[in-house]
Amino acid sequence: MRAVLWYNTKKRKESDLKMKRSSGVLMPVSALWGDYSEGGFGKAAKEWIDFLADTGFSLWQTLPFCLPDECNSPYKSFSAFSGNPYFIDPETLFEKGLLTREELAGAKQKTPYFCEFDRLAKERLPLLMKAAKRFGNDPAIGTFFASHPETEQFCRFMALRRANAEKPWNEWTVNDPDADTLLLWRFAEYEFFTEWKEIKAYANEKGIKVIGDIPIYVAWDSADVWSDPGEFLLDEKYLPREVAGVPPDYFCEDGQLWGNPLYDWDKMEKNGFKWWKKRASFMAECFDGVRIDHFRGFESYFAIPANEKTAKNGVWKKGPGMALIRALKEAAGDALLIAEDLGDITKEVRELVDESGFPGMRVLQFGFLGDENSPHLPHNYDNNCIAYTGTHDNNTLLGYVWELDEATRQTLFAYVGHKGDIHTCYDPILREMFASHAGLLILPVQDLLLYGADTRFNVPGRSEGNWCYRLERSQLDRIDRNKFRNWNRLYGRK
């Protein structure tokens, strides 16, 4: 079932678009409840979909599915075409006869309250190795990789990395991977996408569309750069000349030094953006829509000298613009493409978003940083945008309101017509978002529960303690389903 989020898709221009009013929830797979150290593709995923459908929501937004980095961030990975093997459901493997009951019991988590990343890093791949050996070289794996060659390259990359003592690829001396390690990764990726295909089909059958996330950059030590270094701006030693990041902003006074290699946009344009088209096609296969992280980098990108310790001394350089966007549209088909147009947004970036026809993002928490003309205030939302109370990088709504200075808090209260105290302001705020003209509304799951800052997903610029938040199943029962069901109906989002 292919999901269509547009009333009119003949021309992808703003004047021709009409977004169907709907709403959804931002919920990383990793944050789902369960018994195995991190959320995954087990029964909890289907229970979550049932909750969305019952509550009148029709969208599930996730974070990137690729294997995360050493800080557990999904925005820097070993491959743009990979799936996180920790999402594979151990109970599904047991039901398939690939794990024993004892092995399943040994994988049970110690705590349900946060992701056990350290334990997963030590124990999960050895467990999957046992399942892989029992599965063997089933012909189904070969069939899968015949149509997913970039994912197969990732498997080979990971096996070679293990054979070379986890050194970066430019230091490799061993060119033949261990057969068992390669078997592990081939099985893990095949199983990941097999399980996800079933979950997504279940969501679509329930009327739920799934929105994924494309990190604009990839890691230097990745299968993407290793397999085709000419697509990136590297020196003669295959090291980045400049790296990606963003300048000092609301989140971080030193800016953010991401460290990713930059693309050779000139070369990419000459070859028709073939790498990006493969990436867009892959994401459209996995999701009904995709949020393009740091969209402004397509208009101009921040280039930081590779030897810098902060992002302060970077410079803006011209990006590929509409040439790339046309290629993405062609490859993505009818999947919804969302422009994450946040941060230092210039007139040129706004013009590119308008010309692309992609809906942009509006975040309530940014609305009170400026005056009444802020695009992030609900009265300025138009249909072709996605409204958020906050994103994965923001505080929760509860944390945000509690940490506001008193003057700004009172401005917020006046804006939503709230005459009570801080304890009773949240429903008026949420109703304002539901009633806005934004075509799509996305709420982080913490804002359904009114949880505080200790449950936020990520604090930009902080290397530890992020991405580990999880729900317990019992917490879902504390959400007032009737309230959200009624709001979705009342404001035409169902």
Side-chain angles (χ1 to χ4, degrees):
M1 172 179 169
R2 292 289 289 181
V4 178
L5 295 171
W6 312 95
Y7 284 139
N8 184 338
T9 57
K10 291 182 179 179
K11 294 182 180 179
R12 303 294 288 270
K13 295 180 180 178
E14 184 177 16
S15 60
D16 294 326
L17 287 174
K18 178 65 176 177
M19 197 117 65
K20 183 181 183 299
R21 284 177 66 81
S22 54
S23 65
V25 182
L26 171 61
M27 171 68 152
V29 171
S30 60
L32 288 168
W33 54 93
D35 297 326
Y36 300 99
S37 300
E38 183 175 37
F41 296 151
K43 63 182 180 180
K46 292 185 177 180
E47 290 174 349
W48 170 247
I49 291 165
D50 291 341
F51 164 80
L52 292 174
D54 181 54
T55 316
F57 293 110
S58 55
L59 301 168
W60 174 14
Q61 182 172 333
T62 71
L63 295 184
F65 273 10
C66 48
L67 188 70
D69 69 1
E70 65 278 2
C71 296
N72 306 307
S73 170
Y75 287 91
K76 188 177 180 183
S77 177
F78 287 121
S79 173
F81 299 88
S82 65
N84 184 349
Y86 302 157
F87 290 174
I88 295 171
D89 180 41
E91 290 186 356
T92 297
L93 297 181
F94 170 73
E95 291 166 2
K96 292 179 177 181
L98 300 175
L99 292 180
T100 67
R101 189 173 300 278
E102 292 73 23
E103 289 163 348
L104 189 66
K108 289 288 183 73
Q109 64 204 17
K110 306 299 183 184
T111 176
Y113 300 111
F114 54 83
C115 296
E116 297 176 329
F117 291 129
D118 290 343
R119 185 177 177 212
L120 285 166
K122 294 175 183 177
E123 300 179 13
R124 189 52 53 89
L125 290 183
L127 183 69
L128 292 176
M129 176 70 86
K130 295 176 181 178
K133 289 183 175 180
R134 290 165 186 151
F135 193 76
N137 284 306
D138 190 286
I141 293 183
T143 300
F144 171 76
F145 285 115
S147 57
H148 297 85
E150 290 77 26
T151 307
E152 186 168 34
Q153 281 276 44
F154 161 71
C155 295
R156 184 172 179 81
F157 174 86
M158 295 303 290
L160 282 170
R161 204 169 186 277
R162 173 67 64 84
N164 285 276
E166 308 296 340
K167 294 178 181 178
W169 60 266
N170 68 333
E171 298 178 18
W172 289 354
T173 57
V174 179
N175 297 315
D176 295 313
D178 172 72
D180 283 346
T181 306
L182 185 57
L183 174 68
L184 160 66
W185 282 103
R186 284 170 60 83
F187 167 77
E189 292 302 295
Y190 164 78
E191 182 66 21
F192 174 97
F193 288 105
T194 299
E195 291 187 14
W196 173 242
K197 184 178 180 180
E198 179 181 339
I199 296 298
K200 182 179 178 296
Y202 185 84
N204 290 165
E205 289 166 5
K206 292 282 187 175
I208 306 299
K209 303 173 182 70
V210 186
I211 298 175
D213 197 315
I214 295 183
I216 185 173
Y217 294 116
V218 299
W220 171 79
D221 190 14
S222 68
D224 307 297
V225 181
W226 165 70
S227 62
D228 201 347
E231 298 276 13
F232 301 86
L233 290 174
L234 308 178
D235 62 21
E236 63 280 358
K237 295 182 179 179
Y238 296 107
L239 298 173
R241 296 185 223 154
E242 297 172 308
V243 295
V246 289
D249 62 8
Y250 169 81
F251 287 118
C252 186
E253 64 180 13
D254 286 336
Q256 297 178 47
L257 181 63
W258 297 338
N260 310 77
L262 299 174
Y263 299 106
D264 188 336
W265 289 121
D266 290 338
K267 180 176 179 179
M268 283 188 160
E269 184 165 9
K270 289 176 183 177
N271 65 33
F273 299 103
K274 64 178 183 180
W275 185 87
W276 270 98
K277 289 176 74 172
K278 288 187 289 187
R279 191 179 190 189
S281 178
F282 174 78
M283 295 298 288
E285 177 186 350
C286 294
F287 303 102
D288 302 302
V290 182
R291 169 190 177 273
I292 303 173
D293 183 57
H294 196 60
F295 180 86
R296 74 137 303 139
F298 291 167
E299 191 284 320
S300 55
Y301 57 94
F302 202 60
I304 306 163
N307 60 353
E308 289 288 335
K309 302 301 182 184
T310 73
K312 288 184 176 179
N313 294 321
V315 296
W316 290 104
K317 296 187 177 183
K318 201 68 177 174
M322 279 301 298
L324 173 61
I325 290 169
R326 285 189 288 269
L328 294 177
K329 288 182 179 181
E330 178 185 344
D334 64 359
L336 172 66
L337 300 179
I338 298 168
E340 189 267 288
D341 54 345
L342 305 175
D344 182 14
I345 301 304
T346 63
K347 173 177 175 287
E348 291 76 14
V349 176
R350 290 193 294 270
E351 290 173 349
L352 182 64
V353 175
D354 289 344
E355 187 175 0
S356 75
F358 297 165
M361 292 175 57
R362 303 293 179 263
V363 181
L364 177 70
Q365 293 187 27
F366 298 151
F368 297 92
L369 297 175
D371 59 20
E372 69 277 5
N373 295 313
S374 168
H376 296 287
L377 287 173
H379 71 269
N380 290 322
Y381 298 167
D382 60 21
N383 173 263
N384 193 35
C385 78
I386 292 85
Y388 296 77
T389 46
T391 73
H392 62 271
D393 282 334
N394 288 99
N395 205 339
T396 66
L397 179 61
L398 175 62
Y400 165 73
V401 174
W402 275 88
E403 293 177 15
L404 279 176
D405 64 87
E406 186 59 28
T408 305
R409 186 185 296 127
Q410 292 304 317
T411 300
L412 169 61
F413 287 1
Y415 187 88
V416 300
H418 177 61
K419 299 183 183 303
D421 61 20
I422 194 171
H423 301 282
T424 57
C425 70
Y426 303 103
D427 276 7
I429 295 172
L430 293 175
R431 285 180 70 114
E432 188 77 27
M433 298 296 285
F434 273 88
S436 76
H437 286 293
L440 306 184
L441 168 65
I442 302 290
L443 303 178
V445 65
Q446 299 97 318
D447 292 354
L448 303 186
L449 289 154
L450 287 183
Y451 282 174
D454 58 325
T455 67
R456 65 185 292 178
F457 293 128
N458 180 49
V459 179
R462 187 180 73 182
S463 61
E464 297 180 354
N466 292 322
W467 315 109
C468 57
Y469 170 69
R470 290 184 76 193
L471 268 75
E472 286 188 275
R473 176 63 181 82
S474 62
Q475 293 170 341
L476 203 65
D477 295 330
R478 301 174 192 170
I479 296 173
D480 186 345
R481 299 191 186 199
N482 282 329
K483 177 175 71 176
F484 290 105
R485 189 184 302 122
N486 291 336
W487 283 352
N488 276 311
R489 183 182 303 112
L490 181 63
Y491 295 112
R493 295 193 180 275
K494 183 172 174 58

